[in-house]
Amino acid sequence: MTSTVRRAGAFAAVGTLAVLAAATPAAAVAAFVAVAGAAATITDGPAFELFARPGDRRDERLKGLVGFAVAAALLGGFAAVGDLPTRVFVGTVVLYAYGNFAGEIARNRVGGEVAEAVGFVVGGLLAGVAAVQVTALAIDASMLPFAAVTVLATTGALVGALLRSVLLGRDDPAVILSVGLLLWLITALNVGATTTDVLVALGVTAALGYTSYALETASVEGMLAGVVLAFLAIVLGGYPWFAVMIAFFGIGGLSTKFRYDEKRERGVAEENDGARGSANVLGNAAVALVAVLGYAAASADLFGADPALFLFAFAGSLATALADTLSSEIGGVFDRPRLITTLKRVDPGTDGAITWQGEIAGAAGAALVAVLSWLLFPSIALDGAAVIGAAGVTGMTVDSLLGATIEGDGVGNQSVNFLATLSGGIAGTLFALAVGLAGLP
């Protein structure tokens, strides 16, 4: 057993202290505080050698263990003195600790980022389900429904793997607290997904992740981000939400490969051979994810809002994302682009440059999302589809305007993508309100 696997196993053992919360959350908090206090005093010896990461050895302090224990104690505090369900606290800490252990084993035995990510997700999912059910049995003498527990554990494992990948797996406090707070929200939504829905979501999203990585349309981080978004779309919204989202990922990813060598020669191709990373995926789909969460929260009456507002925000943001992607990927192979603000000819690849071919392709992308929404959502009629298409074209235009005015001066392409999809989502809701397709509380 390598030192990294032993260390991950030791962290997993410490994470198991979270199950003390089945008696009282305060007991678990006290245990983690004690671990943090003890770790802060250890500078050498067997315990130091077991838990020390490379940075800890350099600084002669077990900062990693202290951070892990403090994060667990903080999350436990929300359960001890707040409304965070005890099962969410226990599940989050155990899921992260054992997911990290399984991921480290996979990395050492198989090798590669994909193996580590899959190991984390599978190990974290199984450990999370077990921890939540054991906690439920200890507190209420009964197990929770399979679907509800699996949604929580899968969401936590996927988000944890994504954050670890983005943060290089060494920022335990940020990952633990982020996953715990997200699962707290998911619990409050009272997800109504059935066991069949959850199993289908797991199978479909796993296949989606593998396919996107195998076709080199997404990096490991991009694959994880896409899988997170797709899974939540199914369990919180339903299959129509997933279908619209997957249309963007599929068509957008393939358009990146369109005449890729030519675009690379012209200097307008995506980096990493067109494999989109997590920043690109989230920049284009973060607004859609928030809209799905908002729709679920509004449907659960967590706040007074018409769920239809979030449906139009969701579709409008994805119409923008696909319109912008097709406009860039297809328009980038044509000569004589013009800057949108002045209509003067500029070099290919100039931020804010457009071609008439790209604009037509972008409008077609927005129209495609509009038509899919009309076909898949019973509540969206032709006038709703028109709203979505208009929102997509609006967002695409905003993207070009932002590219010509602010991109490059400390504002990156992913930030511009986010702002554009946000504008498309807002446009979708405002247009829907204007024509009476949704209402305010």
Side-chain angles (χ1 to χ4, degrees), residues 8 91 100 106 116 132 137 206 236 238 247 258 261 274 282 286 335 374 385 387 390 429:
N100 185 58
E116 183 177 4
V132 170
L137 279 171
L236 297 181
F258 174 70
D261 290 339
L282 294 174
D335 293 320
W374 171 52
V387 161
T429 59

Side-chain angles (χ1 to χ4, degrees), residues 340-396:
I340 190 173
T341 51
T342 63
L343 296 183
K344 292 182 178 179
R345 289 205 173 96
V346 292
D347 295 329
T350 300
D351 295 330
I354 60 173
T355 62
W356 66 265
Q357 296 95 337
E359 293 297 289
I360 291 176
L368 176 59
V369 172
V371 171
L372 282 175
S373 300
W374 171 52
L375 293 173
L376 295 172
F377 292 100
S379 60
I380 294 181
L382 283 174
D383 51 356
V387 161
I388 293 167
V393 173
T394 298
M396 176 183 68

Side-chain angles (χ1 to χ4, degrees), residues 53-78:
R53 292 169 174 166
D56 297 337
R57 297 180 188 280
R58 182 183 62 248
D59 299 331
E60 297 184 347
R61 293 287 185 274
L62 290 176
K63 296 187 298 182
L65 181 57
V66 172
F68 176 85
V70 168
L74 286 173
L75 191 63
F78 287 113

Side-chain angles (χ1 to χ4, degrees), residues 116-335:
E116 183 177 4
V118 172
F120 182 95
V121 171
V122 174
L125 170 59
L126 296 176
V129 168
V132 170
Q133 294 291 26
V134 167
T135 303
L137 279 171
I139 295 175
D140 300 319
S142 63
M143 297 179 69
L144 297 172
F146 170 83
V149 174
T150 306
V151 167
L152 283 177
T154 303
T155 302
L158 289 172
V159 173
L162 172 61
L163 292 176
R164 282 181 77 255
S165 182
V166 172
L167 298 173
L168 302 179
R170 292 295 178 263
D171 202 345
D172 296 336
V175 180
I176 291 172
L177 292 173
S178 297
V179 171
L181 295 177
L182 174 61
L183 297 189
W184 189 359
L185 172 61
I186 298 294
T187 302
L189 295 179
N190 296 318
V191 178
T194 65
T195 298
T196 300
D197 292 334
V198 174
L199 292 176
V200 170
L202 285 171
V204 169
T205 53
L208 166 67
Y210 174 78
T211 301
S212 65
Y213 185 77
L215 293 177
E216 298 182 341
T217 59
S219 65
V220 174
E221 294 87 352
M223 173 190 71
L224 289 169
V227 169
V228 169
L229 294 169
F231 180 79
L232 290 178
I234 293 176
V235 298
L236 297 181
Y239 297 113
W241 297 71
F242 168 75
V244 174
M245 184 174 284
I246 202 62
F248 159 66
F249 283 126
I251 297 171
L254 292 176
S255 72
T256 303
K257 298 295 186 179
F258 174 70
R259 294 166 65 173
Y260 183 80
D261 290 339
E262 183 179 343
K263 286 185 286 190
R264 180 164 51 190
E265 291 176 1
R266 297 165 65 91
V268 297
E270 286 283 336
E271 297 178 354
N272 301 320
D273 293 328
R276 296 179 180 271
S278 58
N280 186 286
V281 173
L282 294 174
N284 281 292
V287 175
L289 174 60
V290 172
V292 172
L293 291 170
Y295 176 85
S299 299
D301 294 324
L302 294 186
F303 58 89
D306 184 354
L309 290 172
F310 297 98
L311 175 54
F312 282 104
F314 170 84
S317 70
L318 288 181
T320 296
L322 186 55
D324 175 54
T325 299
L326 293 183
S327 175
S328 300
E329 297 297 341
I330 294 178
V333 302
F334 293 96
D335 293 320

